[in-house]
Structures are given as structure tokens and as C-alpha cells.
Amino acid sequence: MRAERVFGLVWLAFSAAMAWVALDLKAPISYEPVGPRAVPLLYAGLMAACALTLVLRPHAVAFHWPHGKVVHHIVVSAGLLLGYALAFEGLGFPLATALLALLLGRVFGGSWRTCASGGVAMGIVLYLFFDRLLDVVLPLGLLQPLFGG
């Protein structure tokens, strides 16, 4: 069995497990018409559809394992995303996002100035977009005393 079919089967099982967990999500107070389980179920369905295409497609493409700099980028990016998740609440969305964008930009060869300015802009613009336009509550973290009281 080819590697992409094995990966597809594993990913299909993961999608099914995700859907199973999502079915038990219930909000204590229903303030949204769809509820908390809609997004995870949608993602699980999309992931399952992609996994099925890997399993069922008639012509498999030859797969070559990444090596060298590509593996380094993958490992560092995964570590940065884990750090982002851990620092998200403590630092707050704007600072954590700016720091993630800065460090990811540096991993992929951006200059310090470009990555720093892009990271700060991304942290501010995305925070305003989610907080003001979409009304999504995001943590301010270290910036809470300055803006939230």
C-alpha cells in the first residue's frame, strides 16, 4: 500500500474521532443559532473528504520524504505554532500573533525590519478585525492594563 493511502486512512480515522468528539459539544447558554459543534463538524467533514481522495484516487503520485532545509522549516514552524498556542492567553492575541509572524518570517528568510513591521501590523489588524468587526472576544494579555482596565 502506498504512503499516501496509509496517510489517508490514518487521517480518515482522525477525522472520525474529531467528529465523534464534536458531537458531544454543548454550550451552557445557547447564544448562537448554530452552536459550538458546527465548526468542528464542518472541519471533520472536509478533512474526511480530503482523506478519502487520498485513499480512493486511481493514480498515486510518487512520494519523496522531505529532507534538509524543508524538514528544518517544518520542525521549527510546528514548534513556533505550539509556542503560540501556549503563549496566546498570557501574552494576548496581538503580541502573540506579532511574535509568531516575526519568527515565522525569519525562519523563511525575511529581514528583521520587514518581519517585525509585518508582525506588528498583523497583530493589530487581525485583533481589530476579530474584535470589532466579527465581535470575537480575544485575550489582550499583557496589553490588558493599557486598553481593558
Side-chain angles (χ1 to χ4, degrees):
M1 188 177 278
R2 297 188 64 102
E4 64 270 4
R5 288 201 166 103
V6 172
F7 176 76
L9 288 172
V10 170
W11 202 251
L12 188 61
F14 180 76
S15 302
M18 183 176 166
W20 181 265
V21 170
L23 287 173
D24 285 339
L25 292 175
K26 292 178 180 64
I29 299 172
S30 183
Y31 58 90
E32 296 177 357
V34 183
R37 67 175 77 130
V39 172
L41 284 175
L42 177 66
Y43 285 157
L46 290 172
M47 289 176 6
C50 292
L52 280 174
T53 60
L54 287 175
V55 173
L56 301 176
R57 73 179 189 203
H59 300 292
V61 177
F63 176 77
H64 303 287
W65 286 101
H67 60 282
K69 203 168 194 172
V70 174
V71 173
H72 176 262
H73 287 333
I74 292 170
V75 170
V76 172
S77 297
L80 287 173
L81 289 172
L82 177 63
Y84 178 71
L86 294 173
F88 185 79
E89 224 170 296
L91 289 178
F93 179 85
L95 289 178
T97 302
L99 185 61
L100 176 70
L102 166 73
L103 295 175
L104 274 177
R106 291 293 300 153
V107 166
F108 288 97
S111 70
W112 280 104
R113 180 183 297 177
T114 305
C115 294
S117 60
V120 169
M122 186 178 291
I124 293 169
V125 168
L126 287 177
Y127 180 79
L128 292 174
F129 176 75
F130 283 110
D131 188 61
R132 305 290 186 230
L133 293 176
L134 297 180
D135 210 20
V136 174
V137 178
L138 293 171
L140 278 171
L142 297 175
L143 299 177
Q144 185 72 30
L146 297 173
F147 297 104

